[in-house]
Amino acid sequence: MKSFVIGLIVGLLILPLAFAAYVASGRMPAATSDPPIPFEAVLAGAALHARIKREAPKRDVSGVATAELVSGADVYQKDCAVCHGLPGQPVPPVAKGEFPPPPQLFTVDGRVSDDPAGVTYWKVKNGIRLTGMPGFQASLEDQQLWQVTALVARADKLPPEVLDALKPAPPVILITAGAANPAASSAPGQVKPKQ
Ligand code: HEC
C-alpha cells in the first residue's frame, strides 16, 4: 500500500514536471514559423468542431441578393482581405507570417464554399482561438456578419458587381491644393500685387 501511494505521487508529479522542463528548455514551439506542438492540431480541431456543431445556426445563403454581397465585399475589404487575400491577388504579407496560415478564401484550395454557411458564420462571429482569426462579434452588426459570410460561402460563384467590389483599392493619388483648384494657386511670381 505504501509503495502504491509513493508510486501514485511520483506518477502524478512526473508528467507535470516533465512538461514544465520541456517548456523551460525553450524547445517548445513558440514562434509562428515553428512546427505545430504535438497534438496541437488534433486538440484544437476537436474542440472547435464539437463547439461549432453545438452552436452553428442553420441558414441557406444561396439566395442572398447581390446588394447584400456587395456590402459583404465592403466588410471583407476592410476587415478580412489583409489576411485572407483578394481574388487574383498575391498572398498578402500578413498571411505569409501567420501560424496557422489564414486560408486564401478566394482560391480553390482555401475557399469555404463547401462548408455550411452557419459554420462559417460561427467562425467569423466568434473567432478561432490559438490562431490569428479574430472574432467580429464586437465590431460588426449581425447583418454584416451574414453579409460577409454569404460572400465567402459563395466565393466560387459571385456576380461581376461583387467581384468588382473585391478589386484592390486603387493607389491614392495626392492632389495638391493648387492643382485641385487652380484659382487658389499662389505660386511665387503669380501673387497678385496688393493695391
Ligand atoms: C489577422 C488575420 C485575420 C483576419 C483579419 C481575418 N482572419 Fe479569418 N482566419 C485567420 C486565420 C489564421 C485562420 C485559420 C484558422 C485555423 O487554421 O483554424 C482563419 C480562418 C477563417 C475561416 C475558416 C476557414 C476554414 O477553412 O475553415 C473563415 C471562414 C474566416 N477566417 C473568415 C474571415 C472573415 C470573413 C474575416 C473578416 C471579417 C476574417 N476571417 C478576418 C486570420 C484572419
Side-chain angles (χ1 to χ4, degrees), residues 92-120:
V94 170
K96 288 186 189 157
E98 276 201 63
F99 184 89
Q104 298 300 292
L105 296 176
F106 291 98
T107 61
V108 176
D109 291 343
R111 67 190 179 205
V112 290
S113 36
D114 286 343
D115 291 357
V119 168
T120 296

Side-chain angles (χ1 to χ4, degrees), residues 55-67:
E55 292 184 1
K58 291 200 170 40
R59 184 164 158 183
D60 178 15
V61 293
S62 57
V64 167
T66 301

Side-chain angles (χ1 to χ4, degrees), residues 68-136:
E68 297 279 305
L69 295 172
V70 170
S71 302
D74 287 345
V75 173
Y76 188 90
Q77 287 268 17
K78 288 193 201 90
D79 291 333
C80 323
V82 64
C83 289
H84 290 293
L86 290 167
Q89 296 299 313
V91 177
V94 170
K96 288 186 189 157
E98 276 201 63
F99 184 89
Q104 298 300 292
L105 296 176
F106 291 98
T107 61
V108 176
D109 291 343
R111 67 190 179 205
V112 290
S113 36
D114 286 343
D115 291 357
V119 168
T120 296
Y121 167 87
W122 189 98
K123 290 177 182 171
V124 179
K125 180 176 177 185
N126 299 291
I128 305 176
R129 225 172 147 98
L130 303 179
T131 80
M133 174 60 193
F136 288 89

Side-chain angles (χ1 to χ4, degrees), residues 5-76:
V5 174
I6 294 173
L8 190 72
I9 293 170
V10 171
L12 285 176
L13 285 177
I14 275 181
L15 259 182
L17 283 178
F19 184 70
Y22 174 53
V23 173
S25 73
R27 288 199 188 86
M28 185 158 155
T32 55
S33 53
D34 289 342
I37 300 169
F39 306 116
E40 178 179 336
V42 179
L43 280 179
L48 184 69
H49 284 132
R51 178 80 187 274
I52 292 179
K53 208 173 149 200
R54 195 154 53 94
E55 292 184 1
K58 291 200 170 40
R59 184 164 158 183
D60 178 15
V61 293
S62 57
V64 167
T66 301
E68 297 279 305
L69 295 172
V70 170
S71 302
D74 287 345
V75 173
Y76 188 90

